[in-house]
Amino acid sequence: MADLSEAIRTALLTGDKRAKVMATRALVRDWRKGRLPGGFTVSMPDSPAWPDGLEVLPPGRMPKRGKGGNARNRIALWHSLAHIEFVAIDLALDIVGRFGAEMGDAFIADFLGVAADEAMHFALIDRHLATMGAGYGDLPVHDGLWQSAMDTAHDAAARLAIVPMVLEARGLDVTPATLNRVRSQGDSRGAAILQRVLDDEIRHVSAGASHFTKVCVQRGIEPKNHWKRLVKTYFRGVLKPPFNDSARLAAGLSRDLYAGIA
């Protein structure tokens, strides 16, 4: 019988969008029901599989997205959101497969839950794209999110500091404005999807912050200053306002944590 790491590796190397969602849901369900042994016998791939024909560009070469409410701009917006959630499936799976043996059962449970959430988010968004006559894979995407994962593949603390506590936390900042724009366009279904994503992302960032603190304490390192050092070392962008302080605080990120390096 395959163990947890083998099931995760298989899901990561599944490129078809629907098959990846189904493989992720199945492994999380099997692990929760005790049908999947919790061993870590195989390594994680350097890169996950994505859909055949998906055009992947460097972040700097991505076409600029318009902000108007016409059909083309709406499709571009939702396609971008779909890609974020699709890569988020791989990020959540990889963090478990790569660091689960070191970090323990609570970490595994939290981030398998994140993986299941991201699979659900992607499925909802891809179905919403279908109502516009589009689907994930129709437009170019970039690999910046996965590059951040590879930059931090050697250290659980670095991965937690960058992926949940910077990249996902940025989603807490920008999603409310996107939600308001979608609502103003009369897209009530899209607004409901974004509200669900925002609510779930608060929990995801909270899990990241909590486990980051735990690993720092285990290593005898002061969390706040270590997080700032890791961000300066591994985050390629710039932390800049506006920040959604209330959502960040709900996720365990105090303003004094990130304000000093914004």
Side-chain angles (χ1 to χ4, degrees):
M1 178 185 292
D3 66 17
L4 177 58
S5 67
E6 291 173 300
I8 289 173
R9 182 180 173 89
T10 296
L12 285 168
L13 294 176
T14 299
D16 178 80
K17 61 184 182 181
R18 185 175 185 277
K20 188 186 289 283
V21 167
M22 298 304 291
T24 300
R25 287 174 169 170
L27 78 86
V28 174
R29 182 174 60 249
D30 287 346
W31 184 82
R32 286 172 172 169
K33 291 182 177 294
R35 298 195 295 249
L36 185 61
F40 292 89
T41 58
V42 301
S43 60
M44 295 300 103
D46 289 338
S47 298
W50 291 350
D52 291 341
L54 186 68
E55 183 181 4
V56 182
L57 301 175
R61 288 184 50 205
M62 284 291 293
K64 297 297 183 184
R65 201 173 66 236
K67 294 187 177 181
N70 62 49
R72 180 177 179 179
N73 290 341
R74 289 184 65 227
I75 288 170
L77 168 65
W78 286 96
H79 193 276
S80 174
L81 295 171
H83 182 60
I84 290 170
E85 299 298 333
F86 191 77
V87 181
I89 301 171
D90 290 328
L91 291 171
L93 292 174
D94 183 81
I95 201 172
V96 176
R98 198 170 295 272
F99 303 114
E102 167 193 352
M103 296 294 291
D105 288 346
F107 177 90
I108 293 167
D110 282 346
F111 283 98
L112 286 182
V114 172
D117 286 346
E118 307 295 15
M120 180 264 292
H121 296 166
F122 172 77
L124 289 172
I125 291 171
D126 195 44
R127 283 201 293 270
H128 195 50
L129 267 173
T131 68
M132 306 172 204
Y136 180 57
D138 288 353
L139 298 176
V141 300
H142 68 78
D143 63 352
L145 292 174
W146 187 255
Q147 186 57 55
S148 293
M150 289 298 91
D151 290 344
T152 57
H154 63 291
D155 178 29
R159 176 67 67 84
L160 289 164
I162 302 304
V163 175
M165 297 177 70
V166 173
L167 299 178
E168 286 198 78
R170 191 58 183 158
L172 303 182
D173 302 330
V174 302
T175 300
T178 305
L179 175 56
N180 288 336
R181 177 157 38 121
V182 167
R183 214 176 254 136
S184 72
Q185 294 167 355
D187 184 358
S188 58
R189 185 172 183 269
I193 293 171
L194 289 180
Q195 186 64 60
R196 176 61 186 268
V197 169
L198 179 59
D199 293 343
D200 289 344
E201 294 297 343
I202 291 174
R203 288 190 293 101
H204 299 174
V205 176
S206 178
S210 174
H211 288 289
F212 177 78
T213 299
K214 288 178 184 177
V215 74
C216 287
V217 170
Q218 289 168 0
R219 296 177 183 181
I221 302 170
E222 196 282 317
K224 184 184 298 184
N225 289 332
H226 191 49
W227 180 78
K228 292 179 180 179
R229 285 193 295 269
L230 291 170
V231 171
K232 290 177 181 178
T233 302
Y234 296 109
F235 181 51
R236 299 187 179 200
V238 178
L239 288 180
K240 55 186 179 181
F243 299 116
N244 185 346
D245 291 328
S246 60
R248 283 172 172 261
L249 185 60
L253 302 182
S254 63
R255 182 165 181 79
D256 66 318
L257 176 68
Y258 52 86
I261 58 173

